Every structure is written in C-alpha cells, then in structure tokens.
C-alpha cells in the first residue's frame, strides 16, 4: 500500500511542466507554439508487484504509459523525448540492470484513440 502520493521527480523534454509547482501533477505545454514530445517520470517509486493506479486529466492526442526506470534522464537537456523513439534505443538499452525481467520496456495507452502499444528496446 502506498503511504504517500506519487511524485514526478523527472521532467524530460521541453513540453512538460509541473502544474502550479505541484510535483504530483504535470501538464503538457507548448514552447514558442510548438508541442514537444516530453515525459514526466515518477522514478522515486518502483512498481514490483500488486495493483497500481493513477488518475489522468487529458487533452487531445495525449498518451500515458509506464516505462522502466530511467535515472538522471532529466539531466540530459533533451528538447524532446519519447521512450518509443528509435533514436534513443541505444541509450535506453544501456539503462538495463540485472533486476529487469521480461521484454516489455515501455507500454502506452492512447487516451483519445484507445490504442495500446508496447515496446521492446532490443527490437527497435
């Protein structure tokens, strides 16, 4: 059972920010009129077993997903980032640890379209 609210301790990319400075809530933003694919990562809580849930308020074209731990990716200074983008696969594969099991490294759900995707960084 969780004892405290999850917080997003990493914001990766220019198109995401904390809502009202609250690290438990994030929102997508346009920068100079451009939407950048970006990620908010809750890296301070690792899901090992049991049921997990989250509540999302979303706009057009939003996806939500779960990704393996990516420590310090917020320090890379990336303008945009998506764990399903092949240009990041080499770096993402280097994050692998002995604790990783299975072949699903990232999965996402399209909130508007209802589509579900999963990714294996070895296969990209």
């Amino acid at each position: 059972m969780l004892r405290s609210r999850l917080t997003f301790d990493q914001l990766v990319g220019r198109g995401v920010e904390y809502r009202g400075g609250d690290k438990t809530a994030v929102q997508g933003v346009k920068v100079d009129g451009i939407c950048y694919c970006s990620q908010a990562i809750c890296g301070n809580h690792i899901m090992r077993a049991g049921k997990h849930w989250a509540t999302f308020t979303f706009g057009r074209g939003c996806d939500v997903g779960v990704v393996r731990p990516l420590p310090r990716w917020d320090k890379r200074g990336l303008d945009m980032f998506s764990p399903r983008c092949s240009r990041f696969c080499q770096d993402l594969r280097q994050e692998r640890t002995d604790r990783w099991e299975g072949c699903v490294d990232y999965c996402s759900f399209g909130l508007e379209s209802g589509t579900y995707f999963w990714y294996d960084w070895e296969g990209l």
Side-chain angles (χ1 to χ4, degrees), residues 91-111:
D91 291 336
L92 291 168
R93 283 192 291 267
Q94 291 177 359
E95 297 292 343
R96 181 171 293 282
T97 69
D98 292 339
R99 294 189 65 121
W100 287 18
E101 296 179 13
C103 65
V104 177
D105 295 315
Y106 168 70
C107 61
S108 69
F109 178 74
L111 296 172

Side-chain angles (χ1 to χ4, degrees), residues 19-32:
R19 185 181 305 157
D22 181 0
K23 287 192 169 195
T24 66
V26 295
Q27 62 189 15
V29 295
K30 288 183 178 180
V31 178
D32 298 325

